[in-house]
Amino acid sequence: MQSPIVSVQAQPRDAASWTALARRAEAGGYDALLAGDHPGTAASPFVALAAAAAVTERLGLGSYVSHAGVREPLLLASDVATLDLVSGGRARLALGAGHTPAEWEMLGGQRPDVAGRVRRFQAVAEACRALLAGETVTLDGPGARAREARLTRPRPVQSEVPFTFGGGNTALLRWAGAHADVVGLSGLGRTLPDGHTHEARWKAEDIDRQIDLIEQGAAGRSTAPAREALVQMVEVTDDAEAAAHRIAGQLNCSPADVLGSPYAWVGTAREITAALERHRRRWGITRYVVRESHLDAVDRLRAHFPDGGGAAVTERGQKSMNNPGSGVI
C-alpha cells in the first residue's frame, strides 16, 4: 500500500497558533495547509495563507474551497497569483459552487437555482484559470461578466497553478473530470433548510456514482484527476462498531455507511489503514483532507502508514499536484 497524501484544513484563531500550525504541518510531512472560504463567518483564506507562507518553505497553500458564487474571477485570480508569488510557487486554486444563502444575501444578492450556480461556477472557474495562465478574458453573463480582464501583475510563479474542484453536483463532477487536477469529495448531500448543514451522502453506491461521473468526464484525458476526500470525523478506538453506531445516529445514516466511507476514520490504526487501502482500490482515493481538531489522532495514525507518514509525503504531494494521475451543490 502506498501512503495517502494528507492535507490539513484549518482556520486561524490568532497569529501565534496559526503560524505554529503551519510549521507543524510542514515538519510533519503534510501536503498542504488549507483554509475555508466563507465571507462573513471565516477568515480571509488568502491573507491567512500568506502568513503561513512566511514561516514555511515546502507546504502547499490554498483555500478549501473558494465560493465561485460570490468571488469575481479577476479578484480571485489576483489573490491566488499573489499567494503563489509570496510563497515561491506553492499556491493552489480550489473552487466550489457554493450553497449557503447568507453568503449571497449579505452581498445584496440571492442564491441562484442549481442551474444558475452551475453556470456561474463554470464561468468563474474557466475565467480564473485563463487569467492565471496569462490570457485575456471577456464574459457576458448570465453567470459572470468581465471585459478584457487581464492579470498583468503579479504573475504566478508556477506555470500552471493546480486546480481542485470541491462539490457533488452531477454536471460539475463530469466537468471536473475533464478539467480539474483534483476532485474533492466531501460526503455532503442536499443543503438542509438552515442553509448551512447538509444531508450525509456517505453510502458506497453514492460514491460509486460520483466516481463514475468523474470518469465519464475524464474520458479522453491522458491523466484523470486525482480523487480526494474530506475527513469529517476521526476516532481511534478498539470498538469501531460502537463508534459507528453513535456517529450514524448523528448523521442519520447506517453504521455500515460510516465504516465504509472515506469521510470518517474510525477503528484501530490497523483497521483505518486497511479501510484507506479499500478506498484506493474501489474509488481511486489517494488524497485526504483532515481538520485541525483531529490532527493529534491523525499524527498517530500516519505513523502506521507504510512510509510512516513522514516528510517524503510533501515532496510526493507537490509532484502529484503537477501530475495528479501519478502515484456541492
Side-chain angles (χ1 to χ4, degrees):
M1 170 187 169
Q2 187 180 52
S3 290
I5 296 165
V6 185
S7 297
V8 181
Q9 185 191 47
Q11 275 287 310
R13 297 182 300 277
D14 55 67
S17 64
W18 178 248
T19 53
L21 174 64
R23 291 188 179 99
R24 174 183 178 181
E26 178 161 276
Y30 287 89
D31 185 56
L33 177 61
L34 309 171
D37 190 3
H38 295 285
T41 59
S44 167
F46 298 104
V47 175
L49 293 165
V55 298
T56 56
E57 297 179 352
R58 301 177 305 279
L59 192 66
L61 301 161
S63 62
Y64 204 78
V65 294
S66 285
H67 185 339
V70 301
R71 295 291 187 189
E72 293 300 323
L74 181 58
L75 300 179
L76 179 60
S78 180
D79 282 341
V80 174
T82 303
L83 178 61
D84 205 49
L85 179 72
V86 300
S87 68
R90 293 183 279 140
R92 284 104 183 262
L93 168 64
L95 277 172
H99 63 86
T100 306
E103 292 175 5
W104 277 273
E105 293 165 359
M106 288 191 292
L107 293 172
Q110 185 175 4
R111 183 178 70 169
D113 61 13
V114 171
R117 299 203 297 278
V118 168
R119 285 194 301 269
R120 168 76 183 186
F121 171 88
Q122 290 176 318
V124 171
E126 290 169 4
C128 189
R129 297 185 78 196
L131 289 162
L132 289 168
E135 300 174 22
T136 298
V137 172
T138 294
L139 300 171
D140 190 21
R145 287 181 169 82
R147 180 175 298 174
E148 295 188 1
R150 296 178 298 278
L151 184 62
T152 305
R153 287 186 301 272
R155 295 298 307 149
V157 174
Q158 298 175 91
S159 59
E160 184 175 346
V161 176
F163 172 60
T164 296
F165 164 71
N169 173 266
T170 296
L172 292 184
L173 284 169
R174 286 198 191 95
W175 181 93
H179 299 285
D181 297 306
V182 176
V183 178
L185 304 174
S186 64
L188 303 179
R190 183 178 63 88
T191 305
L192 296 175
D194 65 7
H196 296 277
T197 56
H198 302 261
E199 290 179 344
R201 188 177 289 166
W202 287 25
K203 293 182 181 298
E205 53 266 35
D206 289 330
I207 303 171
D208 287 339
R209 282 192 290 270
Q210 291 183 323
I211 297 299
D212 184 58
L213 291 167
I214 296 166
E215 292 179 347
Q216 289 175 30
R221 285 184 68 175
S222 59
T223 302
R227 293 87 184 266
E228 183 170 76
L230 177 62
V231 181
Q232 310 279 359
M233 298 179 183
V234 178
E235 186 166 341
V236 181
T237 174
D238 292 331
D239 194 345
E241 287 289 340
H245 274 82
R246 185 182 68 256
I247 294 168
Q250 298 168 2
L251 298 176
N252 195 29
C253 64
S254 75
D257 294 337
V258 173
L259 293 175
S261 89
Y263 310 120
W265 292 2
V266 179
T268 64
R270 178 174 294 182
E271 288 169 337
I272 292 170
T273 300
L276 299 187
E277 175 63 8
R278 290 194 297 272
H279 302 157
R280 185 190 66 80
R281 291 176 180 275
R282 180 167 183 172
W283 297 309
I285 296 173
T286 58
R287 307 178 65 92
Y288 290 88
V289 176
V290 300
R291 300 266 172 72
E292 180 187 6
S293 58
H294 300 140
L295 205 50
D296 288 342
V298 174
D299 279 345
R300 293 193 297 272
L301 286 169
R302 290 174 69 237
H304 294 269
F305 289 177
D307 61 6
V313 174
T314 298
E315 296 178 6
R316 187 176 68 248
Q318 292 287 359
K319 292 176 184 176
S320 73
M321 291 298 292
N322 294 324
N323 182 18
S326 63
V328 152
I329 290 177

